[in-house]
Amino acid sequence: QVQVAESGGGSEQAGGSMRLSCAASGFRNSDHCMAWFRQAPGKEREGVASLASRAITPWYHGSVRGRFTISQDNAKNTVYLQMNGLKAEDTAMYYCAAVDNWEPCAIVARADQFDAWGQGTQVTVSS
């Protein structure tokens, strides 16, 4: 079974940068999809970014486009989320998610399309 684990969260000032990492294991297919989601207290979990293992074009939520960058190291089965220009509204628990096929990466990232989830890493941005 696919397993993922996030790391890299912490506290930063608005305008700062952070880099999150997600290590995955257990993929059986070469083509798969990994994504980042976030959830603030009292709010719904929302997709942030996604990238298929063999893709070069990622998907981003409009609120982070131009500020966040998702990338991957396929040799390490690791995906990253570089977050620049952080805003207070970026404060949330960030989750890494994965599914062992590429199709969810062809659409807007939706939580119900992913079946492997990390425990989350907290990102807190102070204004």
Side-chain angles (χ1 to χ4, degrees):
Q1 59 182 350
V2 178
Q3 294 183 313
V4 298
E6 316 92 334
S7 62
S11 299
E12 289 288 342
Q13 296 291 319
S17 298
M18 295 182 68
R19 186 195 191 202
L20 307 183
S21 298
C22 174
S25 63
F27 289 116
R28 291 178 291 181
N29 297 321
S30 296
D31 298 327
H32 53 264
C33 178
M34 297 184 68
W36 289 96
F37 290 79
R38 66 185 182 185
Q39 186 169 22
K43 296 186 177 181
E44 297 294 323
R45 187 169 299 188
E46 65 177 6
V48 176
S50 66
L51 184 65
S53 57
R54 298 188 180 184
I56 59 174
T57 302
W59 168 85
Y60 296 102
H61 189 278
S63 65
V64 307
R65 200 184 314 276
R67 298 189 297 120
F68 291 9
T69 302
I70 186 171
S71 61
Q72 64 191 335
D73 183 339
N74 286 330
K76 297 181 179 180
N77 284 328
T78 300
V79 66
Y80 306 93
L81 186 67
Q82 179 66 46
M83 304 184 292
N84 298 327
L86 286 166
K87 303 176 179 180
E89 51 263 43
D90 293 320
T91 295
M93 183 71 73
Y94 282 70
Y95 298 90
C96 180
V99 63
D100 208 0
N101 70 83
W102 65 270
E103 293 181 355
C105 275
I107 61 174
V108 173
R110 301 186 188 279
D112 61 2
Q113 297 297 304
F114 295 82
D115 56 15
W117 292 85
Q119 295 300 304
T121 185
Q122 178 68 38
V123 171
T124 301
V125 182
S126 58
S127 59

